[in-house]
Structures are given as C-alpha cells and as structure tokens.
C-alpha cells in the first residue's frame, strides 16, 4: 500500500478526553476513529490488524470443531424475558431497539437467547450432540463510562462460542480443550507471556469460571498470581478461596492489575431449560442439553496488545497482527524504491510504502507510531552502496543490507 493513497493521516495530538494509552496511540496512528464514547470506526490500518486477530481466533476455534455462523444483532424482547435476563439487564446495559413497525426488540449483548432456540430446531437425540457453534459478531452494551479506549466499547466485536453436550463430563472435557485453544490464541497474538488463566466465580452451576487476564496497568481487574502453577485468582473470589492457589494451596500470591481478554463459563442448563432445549437419551429419557459459553473481545484484545507492546514513540505490533510486515521508507517516491516495493509485493510480503513528499524525520516518527515490525530505508547514501538500511521496530540501530539480499531477510 502506498502511504500517499491512504485516506487516513497520522496526527500529533489527540483530544484531552482520550486518557487511555491504547486510544491515544490508535487514534494518532490512524487505526481507529472515535464516533462517540465507546463507539469506534476501524480505519484501514486498524481493520487490517483486527482481521488478523479475527483469523487467529477463527483458525483456533475451527480446530476444536467450532462451526461458524452469523447471528443477528436484533432479538425479540420475549427471548430475553424467557431467560430472566431482561428483568436484570433492561434497566442497565441492555440496549432496546424500536422502530415504528418493530417494538420490543433488543440489541444482543451476548447470544444465548438466539443460539439456544436455534439449536432446539436441530437437536433431538443424543446422537445430535455434542455441537460447537460460534460467531464473530457485534455486541451492544451500554457500559456506564467507557474510559478505557477500545478495551471497553459500547459496540464491539466478540467471538462467542457455545457448546452443547449430553453430559456434564462431555462439557468438562470440551472446556479443557477450549482452555488450550485460548492459550494458543493469546500466544499467537503475542501476549502469551503476560496472560494468565484466572479462576473467577462460577455462578450457580460450577465452583469456578475461568478468565484469561493480561497484565497491564490499564486493566480494571486485580488478580493474584501463583507463580508455581502459573495461574491466577480474580480478587472477587479470593476470600472464598482463603487467599490460596486453587491448584496447589500456595498462599504466597502476587497482586497485579490485569484486563480480561477472554472468559469461559459452564452454563449447565441455565439457557436450555427456558427454551426447552432437550435431547432424548439412549434409554428414551428426555434430558436437558448442557451448555458452555466462551468469549473473546476482539477490540479488547487489539487494545490489550497496544497496552502491553509499545514505547514512548508508538505501537510495537507483534508480527502476527501487524498491519504490514514492512514499512518501506524513501525520501520521496523514486524508481529504485518503486522497484524494491514491487519486489516485496511480488514475494508476497505485506508492505506499507511511504512515498509521500515529506521529511525523513516526519516519516520516521510516523513509522514508530504505526509500529510495523521491520523498516527499510532507501536514501541516496544507501543507494551509493547498492544497499538499503534495515531496522527492526524493537531495535535502535539499523544495518546496511545489499538491495539484492532484501528478500532473503524475510525468508
Ligand atoms: P468485563 O468483566 O470486562 O465487563 P464481561 O465479564 O462482561 O467483561 P463477557 O460478557 O463474558 O465479559 O464477554 C466476553 C468477552 O468480551 C470478555 O472476556 C471481553 O474480552 C470482551 N468484552 C466484554 N465487554 C466488553 C466491552 N465493553 N468492550 C470490548 N470487549 C468486551
Ligand atoms: Mg468479567
């Protein structure tokens, strides 16, 4: 992509109300635009990052049997009344949606009220189970005061997976598979080292649920880490746990601030009961389907990556989610740089080519802000040596590389 063609531009300043670091960098870099509190547009650079995150998640969930669907945002109130969640949430974060011809609808804040009646249409016998259904779709939540940038939006994308089982044991087995899959997702997204499987309260149906919490001062949660087991406990259940690690009993726990990037939950029959979602077992008995749900917020994950991976100049994207792998910079568009650009493209390397007619200094500042992993600088000086300057975003110094050897670096 030629940078001169991008309709977005970087900006040096950002509105004073933008207190979170992720929003400051993402807005300055031209990754996102804020429409109103908690409501963001993904701009071309940001949408590339978003789509890479989405693909990492999709591949992992497909590998544990997930079948992707796309459920609607609108849902009749009736469904939410059936589960009792309307009562609890209508006065709080649940959005209502009405028009002249449509009364009594909500904008889903999660999809149990859609997916449970959906599965009822297809599940009859034990032979129809288990099922794993997911989508990556908009959620609407009237969050009180979203001050954490894209970590907490009022409209945001979530991967939500729902599993349907004949037995508790089958749910438990699948739940463990999702744990591993989540671990893979956060590792691939570059925050594996900072992310902890965290015990949280389980609601009525199981002792615990689990959150995936990433260490950052930007988080709203406090977790207590057991370094022996590499797990953590959310502060909200710490007392019930008698301040001990649930796995080894260790009571030397370390407090950290963290953000919840994902969570997994055993729902048991909480949503199958109200929708009469049942199956007929081998002995011809009618039994309630047992459910689990598993969420990851995509903008939450994107913002978390920014919070944990940056320096004062800007973002440092992990290679797996970077908008472009290479930022090619020349003082201005010229034949030599064009040739390097085309060679990189031909080799299938994603490259952002700064061909604008502005100073090197301004270009470097933008490149630091945008945060692509590799930078190639073409100047009269380097060309005199048949070379380019090659620099990693994470390193201060650069090295000279012969023009003919550029592609080898990326092999
Ligand atoms: P939180 O505790 O942060 O309010 P939650 O427990 O309500 O989140 P869930 O309803 O289980 O979260 O949603 C699943 C995932 O969706 C969360 O783990 C988080 O990654 C993401 N998420 C939740 N709320 C938001 C939001 N307002 N903006 C962006 N992502 C969100
Ligand atoms: Mg939570």
């Amino acid at each position: 992509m030629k940078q001169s063609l991008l309709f977005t531009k970087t900006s040096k300043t950002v509105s004073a109300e933008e207190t979170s670091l992720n929003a400051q960098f993402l807005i300055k870099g031209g990754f996102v635009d804020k429409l109103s509190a908690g409501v963001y547009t993904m701009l071309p650079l940001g949408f590339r990052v978003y789509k890479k995150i989405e693909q990492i998640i999709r591949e992992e969930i497909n590998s544990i049997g997930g079948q992707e669907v796309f459920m609607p945002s609108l849902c009749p109130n009736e469904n939410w009344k059936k589960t009792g969640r309307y009562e609890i949430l209508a006065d709080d974060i649940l959005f209502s949606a009405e028009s002249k011809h449509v009364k009594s609808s909500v904008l889903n804040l999660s999809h149990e009220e859609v997916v449970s009646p959906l599965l009822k249409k297809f599940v009859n016998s034990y032979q129809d189970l288990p099922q794993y259904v997911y989508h990556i779709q908009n959620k609407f939540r009237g969050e009180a005061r979203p001050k954490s940038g894209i970590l907490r939006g009022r409209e945001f994308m979530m991967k939500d997976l729902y599993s349907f089982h004949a037995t508790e044991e089958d749910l438990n087995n699948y739940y463990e598979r999702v744990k591993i899959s989540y671990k893979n997702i956060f590792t691939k997204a570059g925050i594996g080292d900072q992310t902890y499987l965290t015990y949280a309260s389980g609601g009525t149906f199981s002792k615990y649920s689990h959150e995936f919490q990433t260490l950052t001062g930007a988080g709203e949660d406090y977790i207590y880490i057991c370094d022996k087991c590499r797990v953590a406990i959310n502060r909200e259940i710490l007392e019930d746990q008698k301040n001990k690690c649930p796995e080894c009993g260790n009571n030397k726990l370390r407090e950290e601030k963290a953000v919840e990037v994902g969570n997994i939950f055993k729902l048991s029959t909480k949503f199958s009961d109200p929708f009469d979602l049942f199956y007929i077992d081998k002995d011809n008995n009618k039994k309630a389907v047992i459910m689990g749900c598993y969420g990851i917020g995509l903008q939450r994950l994107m913002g978390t990556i920014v919070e944990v991976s940056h320096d004062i100049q800007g973002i440092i994207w992990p290679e797996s989610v970077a908008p472009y792998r290479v930022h090619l910079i020349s003082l201005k568009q010229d034949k030599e740089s064009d040739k390097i650009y085309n060679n990189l493209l031909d080799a299938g390397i994603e490259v952002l080519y700064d061909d604008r007619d502005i100073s090197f200094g301004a270009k470097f500042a933008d490149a630091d802000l945008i945060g692509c992993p590799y930078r190639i600088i073409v100047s009269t000086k380097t060309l005199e040596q048949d070379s380019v300057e090659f620099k990693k975003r994470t390193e201060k110094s650069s090295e000279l590389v012969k023009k003919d050897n550029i592609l080898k670096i990326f092999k």
Side-chain angles (χ1 to χ4, degrees):
M1 177 73 190
K2 289 186 173 167
Q3 214 165 329
S4 61
L5 300 179
L6 264 186
F7 81 81
T8 61
K9 290 183 175 55
T10 58
S11 55
K12 286 208 174 59
T13 53
V14 58
S15 136
E17 71 185 37
E18 224 54 71
T19 51
S20 78
L21 181 139
N22 72 83
Q24 287 175 2
F25 277 149
L26 289 168
I27 291 171
K28 279 189 196 168
F31 290 90
V32 306
D33 175 69
K34 182 156 102 177
L35 177 65
S36 61
V39 183
Y40 294 87
T41 297
M42 283 284 166
L43 298 170
L45 289 177
F47 198 41
R48 288 180 71 90
V49 175
Y50 168 86
K51 281 192 283 190
K52 289 189 177 176
I53 292 173
E54 190 183 72
Q55 199 51 24
I56 290 172
I57 296 174
R58 179 175 285 121
E59 281 169 15
E60 273 299 326
I61 301 300
N62 287 346
S63 80
I64 53 168
Q67 296 185 42
E68 189 169 8
V69 297
F70 192 82
M71 291 182 267
S73 293
L74 282 172
C75 182
N77 282 355
E78 201 189 306
N79 290 32
W80 281 77
K81 285 185 175 159
K82 253 188 198 157
T83 61
R85 293 215 292 176
Y86 190 84
E87 281 278 280
I88 302 167
L89 295 167
D91 283 341
D92 189 13
I93 58 170
L94 187 63
F95 275 100
S96 69
E98 293 196 339
S99 75
K100 184 176 170 193
H101 304 292
V102 183
K103 302 286 174 212
S104 317
S105 280
V106 303
L107 294 174
N108 291 307
L109 58 74
S110 74
H111 276 72
E112 286 83 351
E113 280 78 358
V114 180
V115 79
S116 311
L118 171 69
L119 266 284
K120 183 169 171 59
K121 293 173 183 163
F122 299 98
V123 171
N124 298 302
S125 121
Y126 69 94
Q127 285 164 314
D128 299 326
L129 295 170
Q131 296 295 347
Y132 319 113
V133 180
Y134 78 100
H135 68 165
I136 299 171
Q137 196 261 7
N138 290 61
K139 301 289 180 268
F140 297 86
R141 296 185 181 185
E143 302 277 3
R145 277 174 296 278
K147 280 200 158 46
S148 308
I150 66 167
L151 298 181
R152 187 175 293 287
R154 287 181 170 152
E155 177 178 352
F156 60 95
M157 298 295 279
M158 192 199 288
K159 183 284 298 166
D160 42 332
L161 164 69
Y162 302 90
S163 69
F164 302 84
H165 309 265
T167 63
E168 207 80 51
E169 191 193 357
D170 198 51
L171 166 64
N172 292 342
N173 290 338
Y174 191 68
Y175 192 85
E176 294 307 312
R177 286 174 69 193
V178 179
K179 267 190 201 167
I180 295 168
S181 164
Y182 269 38
K183 194 165 173 252
N184 294 341
I185 289 168
F186 299 124
T187 301
K188 286 184 184 170
I191 56 168
D193 289 347
Q194 299 89 342
T195 303
Y196 285 80
L197 178 72
T198 302
Y199 287 75
S201 67
T204 347
F205 299 101
S206 62
K207 190 165 179 205
Y208 306 112
S209 68
H210 292 88
E211 298 167 343
F212 288 77
Q213 293 273 2
T214 307
L215 304 188
T216 161
E220 295 175 11
D221 289 351
Y222 287 90
I223 62 166
Y224 293 80
I225 296 172
C226 170
D227 284 311
K228 283 191 201 160
C229 303
R230 216 197 170 280
V231 298
I233 305 150
N234 195 307
R235 177 150 81 180
E236 56 167 11
I237 66 151
L238 191 69
E239 253 176 62
D240 294 342
Q241 245 338 100
K242 301 191 169 60
N243 301 312
K244 282 184 181 157
C245 169
E247 295 193 1
C248 74
N250 171 19
N251 61 2
K252 290 201 182 65
L253 305 176
R254 171 162 70 85
E255 184 192 87
E256 295 280 358
K257 253 187 134 184
V259 60
E260 176 194 317
V261 284
N263 68 17
I264 59 178
F265 215 94
K266 292 176 187 172
L267 295 167
S268 190
T269 62
K270 183 177 176 188
F271 293 93
S272 38
D273 284 338
F275 290 104
D276 197 25
L277 171 58
F278 66 86
Y279 69 98
I280 304 297
D281 76 3
K282 276 194 181 120
D283 305 318
N284 228 15
N285 298 315
K286 181 180 163 180
K287 292 209 168 127
V289 169
I290 297 183
M291 289 172 62
C293 71
Y294 318 86
I296 295 178
L298 278 82
Q299 286 91 340
R300 174 80 59 96
L301 177 49
M302 179 168 161
T304 299
I305 295 168
V306 176
E307 293 286 347
V308 303
S309 186
H310 65 268
D311 59 17
I312 46 169
Q313 270 82 31
I315 303 168
I316 303 173
W317 292 111
E319 213 165 320
S320 58
V321 301
Y324 293 90
R325 205 163 160 213
V326 179
H327 207 150
L328 172 66
I329 296 175
S330 68
L331 187 54
K332 56 178 190 296
Q333 187 262 331
D334 60 57
K335 267 208 190 107
E336 281 299 332
S337 308
D338 281 357
K339 212 164 122 192
I340 294 167
Y341 175 57
N342 287 321
N343 286 344
L344 286 165
L345 287 183
D346 290 345
I349 294 162
E350 296 178 340
V351 47
L352 180 62
Y353 173 21
D354 195 345
D355 58 336
R356 297 170 302 167
D357 203 355
I358 58 171
S359 76
F360 260 136
K363 290 186 184 203
F364 293 159
D366 274 3
D368 281 338
L369 182 58
I370 291 170
C372 299
Y374 303 103
R375 188 178 308 174
I376 291 173
I377 303 146
V378 188
S379 67
T380 350
K381 239 164 81 187
T382 63
L383 288 177
E384 275 165 12
Q385 299 174 67
D386 264 339
S387 297
V388 298
E389 234 179 282
F390 175 80
K391 184 184 156 319
K392 288 188 181 153
R393 175 65 181 82
T394 47
E395 282 168 15
K396 286 266 170 292
S397 58
S398 60
E399 54 177 309
L400 273 187
V401 173
K402 292 277 178 220
K403 274 190 308 181
D404 294 342
N405 291 338
I406 294 175
L407 292 181
K408 282 190 198 139
I409 299 175
F410 299 105
K411 285 262 158 67

